[in-house]
Amino acid sequence: MNINKVKIVLIGYGCIGQAITPLLISHLNVDPAQICAITADDDGSDVADFYGIEFLKIPVVPQNVSSLLSKYLQGGDLLLNLSVGVSSLALLNWCQANSVFYLDTCVEPWAGGYVENADVELSTNYYLRKQILKESKAFSTTAVIAHGANPGLITHIAKRGLLNLAKLKSVHEWHSWAHLAQLLNIKVIQIAERDTQDITTEFNYDKFGNTWSPIGFQSEALQRAEAGWGTHENSNYARRFSSEEAASVYFDSHGANVIVKSWVPSIGESSGMMISHHESISIAELLTVKDSVGKLIYRPTVYFAYQPSPITCESVKRWRLNKFILPKNNYVLRDTLVSGFDQLGVLFVFEGGAYWYGSTLSLEQARKLFPYNNATSLQVVAGIFGALLWMQKNPNKGVVEAESMDFEGIMDAVLPFLGDVSGFMTDWQPANNGELKFEEFLICGL
C-alpha cells in the first residue's frame, strides 16, 4: 500500500478523525482530495472544510454497509474506522472480501452491543476480540485492529519497558516476551494513565466532558470490568469465561465502579477506574507461558487503571449518582483546555517494587505539533500513524493486532509525538504485607 496514492475513507469524524487529518496531510503527504469522512452528524464539518476533504453526513448501519463502502472504496484503498457504534467486524469483513486495507482503534460492536443481555459474555471485550480474530486469513490484505494509544501503542511501550527493566535487573538471556516477564517475576501489569488536562472557567455539568470521546468512554465504563488473569491469583470475585483457554476474567461490576490502587510518576500512588480494554487481554495472552503439554505455568494479571481528566472524573461522579442513565449532552474537551498533560504508561509490579514506562505529553506540546489535538488525542493519533507506516511495509498480513507487529520500528516513528518518554523505578507496593493479589489493589466496587 502506498498511502499517498490511495483513497482514504474515515468512518466517524469526531475527536480522533479530526485529530488525524493534519497528520495525514503533513506527514504522509496525502492529498486532501483523497480523503473522505463519513459520519453520523455534523461534528467536524468545519475541520473538513478547512482542509478541503469530502464530508458526508451518512450514518453507517447494518443495512447500508456494503452499498456505502462499495461506492467510495475499491481494492487497494484504505478504511480507517474511528467510529463509535459501528461494527468493526462488519467493516473488516467487507474490507477483507474486497482487498481494502483496514485499521481501527478498538473493536466496536453495532450500537447497543455493549448492553448486557442474558449472556453477559457477549458484551465483553474478550468476546469481541475473539470474534474478529477468527477472520484472519493467511496472506489476505492487512487489517490492523485495536491500534490507537491503548490498545495498540501501549503494547509497543510495554515491550520497550520490559527491555529497560531487564537491563536494570541484569536479565540478559530470554527466548520470548512471556519468558522475559516470568524471569523478571512480574506479577501485575497496569496500563496506568493519568490525564490532568483542564479548563479555568466553570464547566456546565449538564454535559458529560471527556478529552477524546464521551460516548466511547461511557460505553467502556458501562462494560463489566475485565482483566488478564495471573497465575498467582485466586480471587473469588472473578468470573471465568466459558472457554477454558481464556486468558482473562470479568467481574460483576461496571468498570466505572471498580477503583484500584495505581502509581504514576507525576504524583506517585494514585487510583484509577478499572475500565475494560482490549490490551488487558492481548498483553496477557502475549505473556502467557505454558509447558510442553499445554499446562499454564505463568501469566501476569493485566488491566487498565484510568484516572481521566478532572472534568471527566466529576462527570462520572454525577453520572454514577444518576444511576448511569446515559447523558443527553456530551462535550469533547479540546479547544477550551488551557493546561495539563496525559501521562500514559505501563506499570510493571513485582515483589518489592514497580517500574513505570511511558509517555507524558502536555497539552502545549500537542498543540505545537498539530492543530485540532489535545494530549490525549495525539497519543491516539501516534498509534494510528505508527500502524499506517507498518501497514505500508506489510500489505498482506491479514488480521493483526499490536502484539504481532514490529514494535521497534513503530516506537521509533512515533517518539516525536509522545513528549517525554521515560521510565521510573519505585519501591511502591499496593500493601504492606508484600501480597500482589488483586484484592490488595482493589479500593472499592466489587
Side-chain angles (χ1 to χ4, degrees), residues 1-24:
M1 177 184 69
N2 188 340
I3 196 167
N4 56 18
K5 293 185 178 179
V6 302
K7 181 77 172 181
I8 302 174
V9 169
L10 282 64
I11 301 295
Y13 202 63
C15 176
I16 304 305
Q18 295 166 48
I20 190 70
T21 301
L23 185 142
L24 289 173

Side-chain angles (χ1 to χ4, degrees), residues 108-276:
E108 281 278 326
W110 286 115
Y114 287 128
V115 178
E116 292 180 9
N117 52 35
D119 188 347
V120 174
E121 287 192 20
L122 299 183
S123 65
T124 62
N125 280 336
Y126 166 78
Y127 174 80
L128 293 169
R129 176 176 179 265
K130 182 179 178 180
Q131 293 302 111
I132 208 163
L133 287 177
K134 288 180 180 178
E135 301 304 313
S136 188
K137 301 176 180 65
F139 309 113
S140 62
T141 305
T142 299
V144 176
I145 63 166
H147 206 291
N150 57 311
L153 181 60
I154 201 68
T155 293
H156 311 308
I157 289 173
K159 288 180 177 179
R160 187 159 283 187
L162 282 170
L163 293 180
N164 290 352
L165 184 56
K167 290 179 181 178
L168 291 169
K169 286 180 166 276
S170 299
V171 175
H172 304 295
E173 296 184 8
W174 49 281
H175 55 73
S176 68
W177 293 109
H179 183 226
L180 178 57
Q182 183 184 28
L183 290 174
L184 293 170
N185 198 29
I186 295 168
K187 292 291 197 296
V188 176
I189 296 177
Q190 289 185 348
I191 291 79
E193 180 175 6
R194 178 178 180 238
D195 182 355
T196 71
Q197 295 170 101
D198 207 351
I199 64 177
T200 55
T201 57
E202 186 174 343
F203 185 74
N204 177 7
Y205 283 103
D206 288 340
K207 299 177 180 178
F208 190 106
N210 174 268
T211 56
W212 49 281
S213 170
I215 296 174
F217 171 75
Q218 291 157 16
S219 297
E220 293 179 350
L222 287 177
Q223 284 182 280
R224 297 290 185 96
E226 292 177 69
W229 205 234
T231 44
H232 67 290
E233 302 282 12
N234 57 12
S235 173
N236 293 323
Y237 297 120
R239 302 292 180 234
R240 300 283 179 173
F241 287 99
S242 55
S243 171
E244 294 182 359
E245 295 298 310
S248 57
V249 297
Y250 66 94
F251 300 87
D252 286 334
S253 295
H254 300 307
N257 276 339
V258 182
I259 311 300
V260 293
K261 300 174 188 175
S262 187
W263 188 96
V264 290
S266 53
I267 56 171
E269 183 164 89
S270 179
S271 64
M273 290 178 280
M274 190 176 166
I275 301 297
S276 183

